[in-house]
Amino acid sequence: WLKTGRSAPPPPPHSARARSALSSQRPRPMVLIPKKERKQILEHLFKEGVMCVKKDPRACRHNELEDIPNLHVMMVLRSLCSRAYVTEKFNWQWYYYFLTNEGIDYLREVLHLPAQVFPSTLTKQRPTRPALAGADTAGGGDGKGWGKGKGKGYGKDE
């Protein structure tokens, strides 16, 4: 068949080449995700602003959402990534997803949230104590530190 110019004969049905040709033609099966689980995933993503997913579709549970299979989380976030609502980074067998501004608007619309609510990655962390509260009392102690002079009576006539 090489010298005659005819096309190559089809591969035998049990060969790896035939199986890969069939699998590329056949569409992948869809993953059906219940609305309740999809809503939980979207709520968690909006609350945190970021999400990490292990690249393990066979994992029984997701690492952050224990009652949802990892495959469902992977598929929901892949769908959001294809619509540019999240950006994806892949490193060491983990996917890291970050919400975009369009994704925040989309999730507000889907989850029926007001415009005043933001993900925790966009909210500024407040310090537990005011920054200047202890400035007045810092030098009053008898500490052994280097600040505020070298000790009692330093530079004074006693």
mmCIF file of all heavy atoms in Angstrom, residues 23-57:
data_model
loop_
_atom_site.group_PDB
_atom_site.id
_atom_site.type_symbol
_atom_site.label_atom_id
_atom_site.label_comp_id
_atom_site.label_asym_id
_atom_site.label_seq_id
_atom_site.Cartn_x
_atom_site.Cartn_y
_atom_site.Cartn_z
ATOM 1 N N SER A 23 -11.674 7.672 21.007
ATOM 2 C CA SER A 23 -11.915 8.498 22.186
ATOM 3 C C SER A 23 -11.866 9.980 21.849
ATOM 4 O O SER A 23 -12.517 10.786 22.488
ATOM 5 C CB SER A 23 -10.914 8.172 23.288
ATOM 6 O OG SER A 23 -9.621 8.558 22.875
ATOM 7 N N SER A 24 -11.083 10.364 20.836
ATOM 8 C CA SER A 24 -11.035 11.777 20.485
ATOM 9 C C SER A 24 -12.301 12.198 19.748
ATOM 10 O O SER A 24 -12.683 13.350 19.779
ATOM 11 C CB SER A 24 -9.799 12.073 19.629
ATOM 12 O OG SER A 24 -9.914 11.404 18.388
ATOM 13 N N GLN A 25 -12.968 11.250 19.077
ATOM 14 C CA GLN A 25 -14.197 11.564 18.370
ATOM 15 C C GLN A 25 -15.397 11.583 19.321
ATOM 16 O O GLN A 25 -16.343 12.308 19.112
ATOM 17 C CB GLN A 25 -14.456 10.549 17.258
ATOM 18 C CG GLN A 25 -13.415 10.607 16.161
ATOM 19 C CD GLN A 25 -13.557 9.451 15.198
ATOM 20 O OE1 GLN A 25 -14.392 8.579 15.394
ATOM 21 N NE2 GLN A 25 -12.737 9.433 14.176
ATOM 22 N N ARG A 26 -15.345 10.766 20.347
ATOM 23 C CA ARG A 26 -16.446 10.643 21.282
ATOM 24 C C ARG A 26 -16.400 11.794 22.283
ATOM 25 O O ARG A 26 -15.351 12.073 22.865
ATOM 26 C CB ARG A 26 -16.295 9.317 22.031
ATOM 27 C CG ARG A 26 -17.536 8.835 22.675
ATOM 28 C CD ARG A 26 -17.382 7.474 23.294
ATOM 29 N NE ARG A 26 -16.233 6.742 22.785
ATOM 30 C CZ ARG A 26 -15.586 5.810 23.468
ATOM 31 N NH1 ARG A 26 -15.958 5.495 24.662
ATOM 32 N NH2 ARG A 26 -14.553 5.185 22.953
ATOM 33 N N PRO A 27 -17.503 12.485 22.518
ATOM 34 C CA PRO A 27 -17.470 13.568 23.508
ATOM 35 C C PRO A 27 -17.347 13.002 24.912
ATOM 36 O O PRO A 27 -17.793 11.891 25.201
ATOM 37 C CB PRO A 27 -18.814 14.272 23.313
ATOM 38 C CG PRO A 27 -19.694 13.249 22.701
ATOM 39 C CD PRO A 27 -18.799 12.349 21.883
ATOM 40 N N ARG A 28 -16.722 13.787 25.781
ATOM 41 C CA ARG A 28 -16.572 13.364 27.170
ATOM 42 C C ARG A 28 -17.931 13.401 27.852
ATOM 43 O O ARG A 28 -18.759 14.245 27.540
ATOM 44 C CB ARG A 28 -15.619 14.289 27.905
ATOM 45 C CG ARG A 28 -14.212 14.136 27.425
ATOM 46 C CD ARG A 28 -13.310 14.974 28.272
ATOM 47 N NE ARG A 28 -11.932 14.748 27.860
ATOM 48 C CZ ARG A 28 -10.919 15.458 28.275
ATOM 49 N NH1 ARG A 28 -11.114 16.462 29.102
ATOM 50 N NH2 ARG A 28 -9.712 15.202 27.878
ATOM 51 N N PRO A 29 -18.156 12.501 28.798
ATOM 52 C CA PRO A 29 -19.456 12.516 29.490
ATOM 53 C C PRO A 29 -19.594 13.767 30.338
ATOM 54 O O PRO A 29 -18.628 14.271 30.918
ATOM 55 C CB PRO A 29 -19.412 11.261 30.358
ATOM 56 C CG PRO A 29 -17.977 10.922 30.487
ATOM 57 C CD PRO A 29 -17.293 11.419 29.255
ATOM 58 N N MET A 30 -20.796 14.286 30.394
ATOM 59 C CA MET A 30 -21.053 15.488 31.187
ATOM 60 C C MET A 30 -21.131 15.129 32.661
ATOM 61 O O MET A 30 -21.571 14.051 33.026
ATOM 62 C CB MET A 30 -22.371 16.133 30.752
ATOM 63 C CG MET A 30 -22.292 16.803 29.417
ATOM 64 S SD MET A 30 -23.789 17.686 29.032
ATOM 65 C CE MET A 30 -23.811 18.915 30.282
ATOM 66 N N VAL A 31 -20.717 16.059 33.481
ATOM 67 C CA VAL A 31 -20.825 15.892 34.919
ATOM 68 C C VAL A 31 -22.029 16.705 35.361
ATOM 69 O O VAL A 31 -22.069 17.921 35.184
ATOM 70 C CB VAL A 31 -19.548 16.388 35.626
ATOM 71 C CG1 VAL A 31 -19.693 16.271 37.129
ATOM 72 C CG2 VAL A 31 -18.343 15.620 35.139
ATOM 73 N N LEU A 32 -23.017 16.033 35.898
ATOM 74 C CA LEU A 32 -24.218 16.721 36.371
ATOM 75 C C LEU A 32 -24.019 17.097 37.834
ATOM 76 O O LEU A 32 -23.766 16.249 38.685
ATOM 77 C CB LEU A 32 -25.437 15.816 36.207
ATOM 78 C CG LEU A 32 -25.743 15.404 34.767
ATOM 79 C CD1 LEU A 32 -26.911 14.429 34.732
ATOM 80 C CD2 LEU A 32 -26.045 16.621 33.926
ATOM 81 N N ILE A 33 -24.122 18.379 38.109
ATOM 82 C CA ILE A 33 -23.887 18.894 39.454
ATOM 83 C C ILE A 33 -25.204 19.407 40.007
ATOM 84 O O ILE A 33 -25.855 20.248 39.372
ATOM 85 C CB ILE A 33 -22.836 20.020 39.416
ATOM 86 C CG1 ILE A 33 -21.546 19.478 38.812
ATOM 87 C CG2 ILE A 33 -22.593 20.585 40.800
ATOM 88 C CD1 ILE A 33 -20.536 20.523 38.471
ATOM 89 N N PRO A 34 -25.617 18.932 41.166
ATOM 90 C CA PRO A 34 -26.866 19.426 41.759
ATOM 91 C C PRO A 34 -26.786 20.923 42.041
ATOM 92 O O PRO A 34 -25.730 21.469 42.342
ATOM 93 C CB PRO A 34 -26.984 18.635 43.058
ATOM 94 C CG PRO A 34 -26.097 17.459 42.895
ATOM 95 C CD PRO A 34 -25.019 17.858 41.948
ATOM 96 N N LYS A 35 -27.938 21.587 41.940
ATOM 97 C CA LYS A 35 -27.978 23.038 42.139
ATOM 98 C C LYS A 35 -27.537 23.430 43.540
ATOM 99 O O LYS A 35 -26.899 24.461 43.736
ATOM 100 C CB LYS A 35 -29.388 23.564 41.877
ATOM 101 C CG LYS A 35 -29.766 23.578 40.422
ATOM 102 C CD LYS A 35 -31.153 24.151 40.239
ATOM 103 C CE LYS A 35 -31.539 24.135 38.776
ATOM 104 N NZ LYS A 35 -32.886 24.676 38.561
ATOM 105 N N LYS A 36 -27.862 22.603 44.515
ATOM 106 C CA LYS A 36 -27.494 22.895 45.900
ATOM 107 C C LYS A 36 -25.965 22.926 46.051
ATOM 108 O O LYS A 36 -25.409 23.836 46.670
ATOM 109 C CB LYS A 36 -28.100 21.838 46.822
ATOM 110 C CG LYS A 36 -27.852 22.069 48.295
ATOM 111 C CD LYS A 36 -28.492 20.999 49.135
ATOM 112 C CE LYS A 36 -27.459 19.914 49.321
ATOM 113 N NZ LYS A 36 -27.830 18.877 50.255
ATOM 114 N N GLU A 37 -25.283 21.945 45.443
ATOM 115 C CA GLU A 37 -23.824 21.896 45.532
ATOM 116 C C GLU A 37 -23.194 23.044 44.753
ATOM 117 O O GLU A 37 -22.236 23.661 45.207
ATOM 118 C CB GLU A 37 -23.299 20.562 45.001
ATOM 119 C CG GLU A 37 -23.571 19.409 45.922
ATOM 120 C CD GLU A 37 -22.954 18.119 45.427
ATOM 121 O OE1 GLU A 37 -22.252 18.137 44.390
ATOM 122 O OE2 GLU A 37 -23.172 17.089 46.078
ATOM 123 N N ARG A 38 -23.743 23.337 43.579
ATOM 124 C CA ARG A 38 -23.219 24.441 42.774
ATOM 125 C C ARG A 38 -23.335 25.763 43.541
ATOM 126 O O ARG A 38 -22.405 26.568 43.559
ATOM 127 C CB ARG A 38 -23.978 24.517 41.457
ATOM 128 C CG ARG A 38 -23.522 25.626 40.554
ATOM 129 C CD ARG A 38 -24.261 25.565 39.224
ATOM 130 N NE ARG A 38 -24.088 26.764 38.475
ATOM 131 C CZ ARG A 38 -23.012 27.063 37.741
ATOM 132 N NH1 ARG A 38 -22.015 26.207 37.695
ATOM 133 N NH2 ARG A 38 -22.926 28.197 37.086
ATOM 134 N N LYS A 39 -24.464 25.955 44.224
ATOM 135 C CA LYS A 39 -24.656 27.180 44.995
ATOM 136 C C LYS A 39 -23.664 27.248 46.153
ATOM 137 O O LYS A 39 -23.118 28.313 46.446
ATOM 138 C CB LYS A 39 -26.093 27.255 45.510
ATOM 139 C CG LYS A 39 -26.403 28.560 46.191
ATOM 140 C CD LYS A 39 -27.839 28.667 46.600
ATOM 141 C CE LYS A 39 -28.064 29.994 47.301
ATOM 142 N NZ LYS A 39 -29.368 30.116 47.869
ATOM 143 N N GLN A 40 -23.404 26.127 46.822
ATOM 144 C CA GLN A 40 -22.436 26.100 47.918
ATOM 145 C C GLN A 40 -21.041 26.458 47.414
ATOM 146 O O GLN A 40 -20.314 27.213 48.068
ATOM 147 C CB GLN A 40 -22.383 24.711 48.559
ATOM 148 C CG GLN A 40 -23.507 24.414 49.504
ATOM 149 C CD GLN A 40 -23.363 23.030 50.098
ATOM 150 O OE1 GLN A 40 -23.013 22.071 49.395
ATOM 151 N NE2 GLN A 40 -23.636 22.924 51.381
ATOM 152 N N ILE A 41 -20.673 25.933 46.244
ATOM 153 C CA ILE A 41 -19.359 26.227 45.672
ATOM 154 C C ILE A 41 -19.249 27.716 45.345
ATOM 155 O O ILE A 41 -18.254 28.372 45.679
ATOM 156 C CB ILE A 41 -19.110 25.367 44.419
ATOM 157 C CG1 ILE A 41 -19.036 23.887 44.796
ATOM 158 C CG2 ILE A 41 -17.852 25.805 43.698
ATOM 159 C CD1 ILE A 41 -19.105 22.949 43.615
ATOM 160 N N LEU A 42 -20.277 28.265 44.709
ATOM 161 C CA LEU A 42 -20.245 29.682 44.332
ATOM 162 C C LEU A 42 -20.237 30.585 45.563
ATOM 163 O O LEU A 42 -19.539 31.606 45.585
ATOM 164 C CB LEU A 42 -21.430 30.010 43.427
ATOM 165 C CG LEU A 42 -21.441 29.314 42.062
ATOM 166 C CD1 LEU A 42 -22.692 29.698 41.287
ATOM 167 C CD2 LEU A 42 -20.197 29.633 41.272
ATOM 168 N N GLU A 43 -20.993 30.227 46.598
ATOM 169 C CA GLU A 43 -20.998 31.025 47.829
ATOM 170 C C GLU A 43 -19.631 31.019 48.497
ATOM 171 O O GLU A 43 -19.141 32.049 48.957
ATOM 172 C CB GLU A 43 -22.054 30.496 48.805
ATOM 173 C CG GLU A 43 -23.473 30.859 48.423
ATOM 174 C CD GLU A 43 -24.510 30.201 49.314
ATOM 175 O OE1 GLU A 43 -24.149 29.295 50.108
ATOM 176 O OE2 GLU A 43 -25.680 30.585 49.217
ATOM 177 N N HIS A 44 -19.002 29.849 48.534
ATOM 178 C CA HIS A 44 -17.674 29.755 49.143
ATOM 179 C C HIS A 44 -16.657 30.568 48.340
ATOM 180 O O HIS A 44 -15.817 31.262 48.910
ATOM 181 C CB HIS A 44 -17.246 28.294 49.238
ATOM 182 C CG HIS A 44 -15.918 28.104 49.889
ATOM 183 N ND1 HIS A 44 -15.743 28.212 51.239
ATOM 184 C CD2 HIS A 44 -14.692 27.844 49.374
ATOM 185 C CE1 HIS A 44 -14.470 28.006 51.538
ATOM 186 N NE2 HIS A 44 -13.807 27.793 50.417
ATOM 187 N N LEU A 45 -16.743 30.478 47.024
ATOM 188 C CA LEU A 45 -15.829 31.232 46.165
ATOM 189 C C LEU A 45 -16.016 32.727 46.370
ATOM 190 O O LEU A 45 -15.043 33.473 46.468
ATOM 191 C CB LEU A 45 -16.050 30.863 44.695
ATOM 192 C CG LEU A 45 -15.210 31.632 43.680
ATOM 193 C CD1 LEU A 45 -13.737 31.338 43.874
ATOM 194 C CD2 LEU A 45 -15.635 31.274 42.269
ATOM 195 N N PHE A 46 -17.262 33.186 46.471
ATOM 196 C CA PHE A 46 -17.488 34.623 46.669
ATOM 197 C C PHE A 46 -17.008 35.063 48.040
ATOM 198 O O PHE A 46 -16.431 36.140 48.185
ATOM 199 C CB PHE A 46 -18.966 34.971 46.495
ATOM 200 C CG PHE A 46 -19.212 36.448 46.508
ATOM 201 C CD1 PHE A 46 -19.064 37.189 45.354
ATOM 202 C CD2 PHE A 46 -19.569 37.095 47.672
ATOM 203 C CE1 PHE A 46 -19.263 38.557 45.361
ATOM 204 C CE2 PHE A 46 -19.781 38.466 47.689
ATOM 205 C CZ PHE A 46 -19.620 39.197 46.529
ATOM 206 N N LYS A 47 -17.241 34.244 49.048
ATOM 207 C CA LYS A 47 -16.846 34.615 50.409
ATOM 208 C C LYS A 47 -15.330 34.744 50.520
ATOM 209 O O LYS A 47 -14.820 35.711 51.075
ATOM 210 C CB LYS A 47 -17.368 33.580 51.400
ATOM 211 C CG LYS A 47 -17.112 33.928 52.851
ATOM 212 C CD LYS A 47 -17.673 32.879 53.755
ATOM 213 C CE LYS A 47 -16.528 31.986 54.145
ATOM 214 N NZ LYS A 47 -16.835 30.947 55.076
ATOM 215 N N GLU A 48 -14.603 33.780 49.954
ATOM 216 C CA GLU A 48 -13.143 33.764 50.073
ATOM 217 C C GLU A 48 -12.461 34.601 48.997
ATOM 218 O O GLU A 48 -11.428 35.194 49.248
ATOM 219 C CB GLU A 48 -12.621 32.329 50.011
ATOM 220 C CG GLU A 48 -13.107 31.451 51.138
ATOM 221 C CD GLU A 48 -12.589 31.899 52.484
ATOM 222 O OE1 GLU A 48 -11.439 32.375 52.561
ATOM 223 O OE2 GLU A 48 -13.342 31.797 53.458
ATOM 224 N N GLY A 49 -12.985 34.592 47.776
ATOM 225 C CA GLY A 49 -12.358 35.308 46.672
ATOM 226 C C GLY A 49 -11.341 34.474 45.925
ATOM 227 O O GLY A 49 -10.993 34.771 44.794
ATOM 228 N N VAL A 50 -10.852 33.428 46.557
ATOM 229 C CA VAL A 50 -9.899 32.508 45.934
ATOM 230 C C VAL A 50 -10.305 31.084 46.300
ATOM 231 O O VAL A 50 -11.000 30.865 47.294
ATOM 232 C CB VAL A 50 -8.444 32.754 46.399
ATOM 233 C CG1 VAL A 50 -7.951 34.102 45.966
ATOM 234 C CG2 VAL A 50 -8.317 32.589 47.886
ATOM 235 N N MET A 51 -9.849 30.124 45.504
ATOM 236 C CA MET A 51 -10.148 28.728 45.811
ATOM 237 C C MET A 51 -9.044 27.856 45.235
ATOM 238 O O MET A 51 -8.553 28.113 44.135
ATOM 239 C CB MET A 51 -11.492 28.343 45.212
ATOM 240 C CG MET A 51 -12.179 27.243 45.906
ATOM 241 S SD MET A 51 -13.902 27.220 45.405
ATOM 242 C CE MET A 51 -14.504 26.022 46.510
ATOM 243 N N CYS A 52 -8.632 26.840 45.974
ATOM 244 C CA CYS A 52 -7.646 25.903 45.445
ATOM 245 C C CYS A 52 -8.268 24.515 45.376
ATOM 246 O O CYS A 52 -9.040 24.124 46.245
ATOM 247 C CB CYS A 52 -6.372 25.892 46.269
ATOM 248 S SG CYS A 52 -6.541 26.149 47.993
ATOM 249 N N VAL A 53 -7.926 23.816 44.288
ATOM 250 C CA VAL A 53 -8.494 22.500 44.017
ATOM 251 C C VAL A 53 -7.364 21.568 43.624
ATOM 252 O O VAL A 53 -6.568 21.884 42.734
ATOM 253 C CB VAL A 53 -9.533 22.564 42.867
ATOM 254 C CG1 VAL A 53 -10.148 21.213 42.633
ATOM 255 C CG2 VAL A 53 -10.588 23.595 43.147
ATOM 256 N N LYS A 54 -7.276 20.434 44.280
ATOM 257 C CA LYS A 54 -6.279 19.430 43.919
ATOM 258 C C LYS A 54 -6.667 18.789 42.599
ATOM 259 O O LYS A 54 -7.841 18.513 42.357
ATOM 260 C CB LYS A 54 -6.186 18.383 45.017
ATOM 261 C CG LYS A 54 -5.081 17.375 44.806
ATOM 262 C CD LYS A 54 -4.918 16.538 46.049
ATOM 263 C CE LYS A 54 -3.877 15.463 45.881
ATOM 264 N NZ LYS A 54 -2.554 15.970 45.594
ATOM 265 N N LYS A 55 -5.689 18.547 41.752
ATOM 266 C CA LYS A 55 -5.969 17.914 40.465
ATOM 267 C C LYS A 55 -6.119 16.411 40.692
ATOM 268 O O LYS A 55 -5.232 15.616 40.432
ATOM 269 C CB LYS A 55 -4.845 18.186 39.467
ATOM 270 C CG LYS A 55 -5.153 17.653 38.086
ATOM 271 C CD LYS A 55 -3.999 17.809 37.150
ATOM 272 C CE LYS A 55 -4.329 17.125 35.842
ATOM 273 N NZ LYS A 55 -3.171 17.130 34.954
ATOM 274 N N ASP A 56 -7.263 16.057 41.217
ATOM 275 C CA ASP A 56 -7.584 14.660 41.492
ATOM 276 C C ASP A 56 -9.086 14.486 41.333
ATOM 277 O O ASP A 56 -9.843 14.646 42.287
ATOM 278 C CB ASP A 56 -7.143 14.277 42.904
ATOM 279 C CG ASP A 56 -7.360 12.807 43.192
ATOM 280 O OD1 ASP A 56 -7.658 12.052 42.242
ATOM 281 O OD2 ASP A 56 -7.236 12.413 44.361
ATOM 282 N N PRO A 57 -9.556 14.177 40.106
ATOM 283 C CA PRO A 57 -10.997 14.047 39.900
ATOM 284 C C PRO A 57 -11.614 12.885 40.661
ATOM 285 O O PRO A 57 -12.816 12.860 40.887
ATOM 286 C CB PRO A 57 -11.143 13.864 38.397
ATOM 287 C CG PRO A 57 -9.792 13.689 37.843
ATOM 288 C CD PRO A 57 -8.794 14.034 38.894
#
